[in-house]
Amino acid sequence: MDPAVVRKAEEFVAVKVNTEGSPRETEVALRYDVQSLPTIVFLSPEGRQIQRLNGFQGPGQFPRTLDQALEAARRVLSLEEALEKDPNDAGALASLGQHLFEQEFYEESRDLLYRSLKGDQDQPAPGRRKVRMLLAIIQNYDRKYAEAEALLKGALRIKPSGDDEAKILFVLGRTYASWGRREEAQKTMQAILRDHAGSAMAEKARETLLALDRKPQ
């Protein structure tokens, strides 16, 4: 085995799980959505996914993956320690919820993000808006469109406004489109083109408008 891999691997506690083994092992495989082998999942002591690797990596790339996992682990563990001291720490709840959103653990992400809403009045405006936008995306997946709309409109009311307004509007427009509220979806996309023509979301808004125009009434 590559010496660099052996040295870096000493920073981790290795556990091998037989995905077709005992009920407990198969439960773990399902929990972390192991669909192919090899799969390496880096977890925090609380069982939260820090990073994952699907498939084989050679000795050239794998040490860099271990470095990335260690860096991410330090961030996640510091957030978990903050929540152990204060379970209502809005900043830690938001950051950990965003991390789990990126890891596609949406249910746990939603729980943490909603908890962060209860005490985030003193948090920076961009972070507060992002929490609401991520929650709206999750609720959109679950077809809870009214809740998604309320979250996004709440995000837009948070001042001072920022460069993220176009992205929030785009998510709102897509929510209306999924909800079947075509006219409101069109108006929201048009607002992006009118007020944020130079943003990265303008082209996506234009493409969405064309798709809405082609969609039968």
Side-chain angles (χ1 to χ4, degrees), residues 12-150:
F12 301 87
V13 176
V15 178
K16 186 174 182 179
V17 175
N18 180 359
T19 58
E20 297 179 349
S22 68
R24 175 57 179 158
E25 287 178 308
T26 56
E27 180 184 341
V28 170
L30 287 170
R31 161 100 170 90
Y32 296 103
D33 193 29
V34 177
Q35 299 185 13
S36 61
L37 298 176
T39 294
I40 298 175
V41 182
F42 299 93
L43 304 175
S44 76
E46 297 294 328
R48 295 187 175 103
Q49 181 171 297
I50 295 169
Q51 188 171 307
R52 71 184 294 131
L53 172 62
N54 298 320
F56 174 79
Q57 275 188 350
Q61 177 63 30
F62 193 53
R64 289 194 288 273
T65 297
L66 291 176
D67 285 337
Q68 292 167 359
L70 276 172
E71 183 179 350
R74 293 187 185 102
R75 292 196 303 270
V76 172
L77 266 62
S78 69
L79 294 172
E80 290 184 341
E81 288 172 4
L83 290 177
E84 188 175 347
K85 294 176 182 177
D86 179 6
N88 298 315
D89 184 327
L93 287 166
S95 295
L96 193 53
Q98 290 173 34
H99 169 79
L100 290 171
F101 181 94
E102 293 165 1
Q103 294 293 311
E104 300 183 0
F105 280 75
Y106 298 121
E107 185 173 348
E108 189 173 0
S109 170
R110 176 175 53 203
D111 292 343
L112 290 167
L113 293 174
Y114 264 124
R115 285 171 56 194
S116 77
L117 291 186
K118 297 177 181 178
D120 74 346
Q121 294 82 2
D122 296 329
Q123 296 297 309
R128 295 177 65 202
R129 287 194 293 269
K130 186 172 184 180
V131 164
R132 286 155 178 79
M133 184 180 68
L134 295 181
L135 277 169
I137 292 171
I138 295 171
Q139 299 299 63
N140 214 329
Y141 288 152
D142 290 340
R143 300 184 180 182
K144 296 179 179 178
Y145 302 124
E147 293 180 34
E149 178 192 33

Side-chain angles (χ1 to χ4, degrees), residues 140 143-146 172-186 212 215-217:
N140 214 329
R143 300 184 180 182
K144 296 179 179 178
Y145 302 124
L172 179 60
R174 290 302 299 265
T175 298
Y176 285 138
S178 299
W179 200 351
R181 294 166 63 173
R182 177 174 174 167
E183 184 176 344
E184 284 144 301
Q186 290 171 321
L212 289 168
K215 191 174 180 180
Q217 293 280 1

Side-chain angles (χ1 to χ4, degrees), residues 149-211:
E149 178 192 33
L151 286 160
L152 292 164
K153 287 187 172 181
L156 292 169
R157 286 193 295 269
I158 296 173
K159 303 300 179 185
S161 299
D163 296 338
D164 52 1
E165 184 172 339
K167 190 169 185 179
I168 296 168
L169 284 169
F170 182 77
V171 177
L172 179 60
R174 290 302 299 265
T175 298
Y176 285 138
S178 299
W179 200 351
R181 294 166 63 173
R182 177 174 174 167
E183 184 176 344
E184 284 144 301
Q186 290 171 321
K187 287 180 179 178
T188 306
M189 296 301 172
Q190 288 163 356
I192 296 173
L193 295 177
R194 182 185 66 244
D195 301 331
H196 306 279
S199 73
M201 304 309 300
E203 184 57 33
K204 291 185 176 182
R206 189 173 291 108
E207 291 172 358
T208 303
L209 276 172
L210 290 173

